[in-house]
Amino acid sequence: MEFWSQGQPDSGPGIGVPAGGQQTTGRMIVYSELSRGRGGSPTAASLKKAGDSLNNAMGVEIAHSSDFGEGDDLAGALDQVDDSTALMLDDLGITVVKGGREHDSRLAVEQADPSSPVVVAEPDRVVWAIGSDYLSGYQDGVNQLADSLRAGGGAAQGPIAGPAALPGGPFADDATFTWGLKAVGVPGSTNLGGGARIAVLDTGADLSHPDLVGAIAAAQSFVSGETADDGHGHGTHVCGTVAGRLSPVGVPRFGVAPEAELYVGKVLGNAGSGSDAGILAGIQWAILNDCHVVSMSLGARVSPGTPHSQIYETVARNALALNTIMIVAAGNDSGRPGTVAPIGHPANCPTILAVAALDSSLNPARFSNAGRVGEDHIAIAAPGVNVLSSVPGGGHRSFSGTSMATPHVSGVAAVLQSRENIQGPELAMRLMTAAQGLLPPSVDVGVGLSSLAP
Amino acid sequence: MTDFGQNPGPDFGQDLNQDYVRVNVMFDRSAANVAESLGHAGLLIEQELDLLAIITGRIPSDRMAALSSVDGVLAVEPDRGVETLGQGLGPQ
């Protein structure tokens, strides 16, 4: 489903190249606050209410994406959007209407009316067909929409919500779950990530840790002179957050997807460092093992204005085409509020999902790096402060970093993969549509908090 | 495919007597004999990652620029150091 693009732009009225040079399709994307149901997500009732409202305002019949079954031509339905028919994308609560003088002027009236439920109406921009550029364009589109909603003052009522509006927030560890697992919605999820293959490229893992031993499907070292056993600690901690066992002894559950299969690739040495060559070899190994996710809690600081790696971007695109998504930590170089550093290498690549870290109040961690408008972007955010997980020798400790946030997202991806049998671009999309909106801007948190909540 | 991590990673040897830099080279899969051509250009090949169409290796720093001119080469980048992004963790 292509929310923002159409391969062949409509030649009807309204098509153009607005200032900024971006081509449009002639359609308009409309968001009505009526589509937001209780809890912030669209419901059948809220979507009907939104559809009826748009019907009254614009004189269009509403077709719903939920009426389309698997194999139905939903993309073709976009072509059928005309003066009398609009298409509502139910999962997002967004409606696609045909542009043109009459509809444009009716939308303008709606947007100018403070009592109107229409929050945002924007031109449908042409981006790219399926692939990594589409993924990047989709991220930009969702982030722009989210920022528009915040700017419109809808933040207090959602779907963007602060910690007080999220169930159980602000968060804390309890006897059953770590705060991070509670924040991403693990308690309410029955799926444990079975069948999902997650490659963790890091310092290896304690291959005999009781909380990991059942999850590790394979391990391989790409570090000269060192085995895959973790002599540092970082990789063991990260692996634990992805797939630590369901019932650890003496500590709350800290693994998002206890039944996921871990592919442990040691690409960083016991001193905690490595280089691109080893990482690239690890990525190849992960793809050859049909891993759904490559999770990398590593990186290098970059100076503002540094372009991203062409090699990593191409690798990420090719991986995506082979149904492997790359989830990478954004970096810890910031000292908020004074200093906000750019996303590090290689997370700054457009096709890589860069992860920001949140504290237990769901604010950006003081060290978490941020995107730059028009250059690179944070994809998503997750708990990254005082995160409890496994350490070598069988124990557990709490640490902080975008390193800790990244495996939360990878674990969520594992559950989504398992639950919905999706992979590649579809899995990446689902990760983002499942996220819960947050108050901070998208340059800090992307689409929001990675989540399994319904 | 995997040894369950019991074997150490590959040993590429040490640089001797010259200012070598490590590089990563992305190439066009459809081009012929790229590895051989890179070798002629001075690259000491360490890895050939066929699935990714990437060759990694070492080369004297003053010959790195010439790699971009080799037929089939799409990109040449210096091998960057990276590190863990967790705070407080350290060697066990």
Side-chain angles (χ1 to χ4, degrees), chain A residues 29-32 107 111 117-122 144-145 148-149:
Chain A
I29 309 293
V30 181
Y31 178 75
S32 166
L107 284 171
Q111 284 194 279
V118 172
V119 177
V120 172
E122 294 186 348
Q144 287 172 23
L145 180 60
S148 294
L149 291 170

Side-chain angles (χ1 to χ4, degrees), chain A residues 158-185:
Chain A
I160 293 154
L166 285 172
F171 296 94
D173 293 352
D174 63 25
T176 313
F177 295 99
T178 58
W179 82 262
L181 262 58
K182 288 195 278 186
V184 301

Side-chain angles (χ1 to χ4, degrees), chain A residues 420-446:
Chain A
E420 302 178 24
N421 193 24
I422 52 178
Q423 56 190 358
E426 197 176 357
L427 177 57
M429 291 299 189
R430 188 70 183 100
L431 257 180
M432 289 189 283
T433 59
Q436 295 215 357
L438 297 171
L439 286 171
S442 59
V443 289
D444 292 322
V445 300

Side-chain angles (χ1 to χ4, degrees), chain A residues 46-56 60 62 64 88 95:
Chain A
S46 68
L47 291 172
K48 183 178 188 313
K49 201 180 284 187
D52 289 346
S53 170
L54 283 170
N55 176 269
N56 288 336
V60 291
I62 308 294
H64 289 270
M88 181 172 285
T95 306

Side-chain angles (χ1 to χ4, degrees), chain A residues 20-403:
Chain A
Q22 188 156 30
Q23 191 175 12
T24 61
T25 66
R27 292 186 292 262
M28 296 293 287
I29 309 293
V30 181
Y31 178 75
S32 166
E33 67 175 11
L34 291 176
S35 67
R36 178 173 37 84
R38 187 173 297 180
S41 298
T43 63
S46 68
L47 291 172
K48 183 178 188 313
K49 201 180 284 187
D52 289 346
S53 170
L54 283 170
N55 176 269
N56 288 336
M58 305 194 54
V60 291
E61 297 296 323
I62 308 294
H64 289 270
S65 64
S66 57
D67 292 334
F68 287 75
E70 192 173 337
D72 289 345
D73 186 11
L74 182 56
L78 282 169
D79 288 333
Q80 305 305 316
V81 167
D82 59 20
D83 291 329
S84 61
T85 305
L87 177 65
M88 181 172 285
L89 305 175
D90 292 341
D91 287 345
L92 289 185
I94 285 172
T95 306
V96 183
V97 303
K98 183 168 181 202
R101 183 171 300 166
E102 184 173 351
H103 281 174
D104 289 353
S105 57
R106 288 193 187 195
L107 284 171
V109 167
E110 289 294 312
Q111 284 194 279
D113 180 359
S115 67
S116 167
V118 172
V119 177
V120 172
E122 294 186 348
D124 179 25
R125 297 168 183 83
V126 175
V127 284
W128 293 273
I130 311 170
S132 57
D133 286 336
Y134 168 53
L135 182 62
S136 176
Y138 176 79
Q139 289 187 50
D140 287 342
V142 173
N143 288 340
Q144 287 172 23
L145 180 60
D147 285 341
S148 294
L149 291 170
R150 293 184 186 95
Q157 298 179 38
I160 293 154
L166 285 172
F171 296 94
D173 293 352
D174 63 25
T176 313
F177 295 99
T178 58
W179 82 262
L181 262 58
K182 288 195 278 186
V184 301
V186 163
S189 171
T190 55
N191 188 286
L192 301 179
R197 293 182 295 278
I198 311 299
V200 175
L201 303 186
D202 208 289
T203 61
D206 177 354
L207 303 176
S208 60
H209 196 294
D211 295 333
L212 294 180
V213 66
I216 297 175
Q220 185 75 42
S221 175
F222 301 94
V223 177
S224 174
E226 297 183 15
T227 69
D229 240 327
D230 184 8
H232 183 275
H234 187 267
T236 302
H237 198 273
V238 167
C239 285
T241 301
V242 177
R245 69 173 165 177
L246 185 63
S247 302
V249 176
V251 294
R253 174 180 161 188
F254 52 85
V256 177
E259 292 187 359
E261 297 172 26
L262 283 175
Y263 286 72
V264 177
K266 181 163 185 159
V267 302
L268 303 176
N270 293 332
S273 62
S275 77
D276 292 328
I279 294 165
L280 292 167
I283 294 171
Q284 173 168 277
W285 176 75
I287 297 172
L288 287 171
N289 277 285
D290 295 322
C291 289
H292 299 103
V293 173
V294 169
S295 185
M296 305 201 309
S297 291
L298 52 81
R301 182 185 306 215
V302 301
S303 303
T306 303
H308 62 265
S309 163
Q310 181 182 352
I311 286 180
Y312 270 95
E313 173 59 16
T314 305
V315 166
R317 291 183 180 209
N318 292 338
L320 189 66
L322 294 170
N323 289 322
T324 299
I325 68 174
M326 291 182 61
I327 299 174
V328 181
N332 307 330
D333 307 302
S334 299
R336 295 167 183 260
T339 304
V340 181
I343 300 170
H345 161 82
N348 59 352
C349 293
T351 305
I352 289 178
L353 301 179
V355 181
L358 302 171
D359 64 22
S360 59
S361 294
L362 302 184
N363 293 313
R366 60 167 181 74
F367 49 76
S368 191
N369 292 353
R372 296 162 291 175
V373 176
E375 295 188 36
D376 51 20
H377 46 252
I378 297 291
I380 201 165
V385 177
N386 293 331
V387 173
L388 178 76
S389 186
S390 43
V391 292
H396 310 89
R397 285 188 64 185
S398 293
F399 294 106
S400 301
T402 50
S403 278

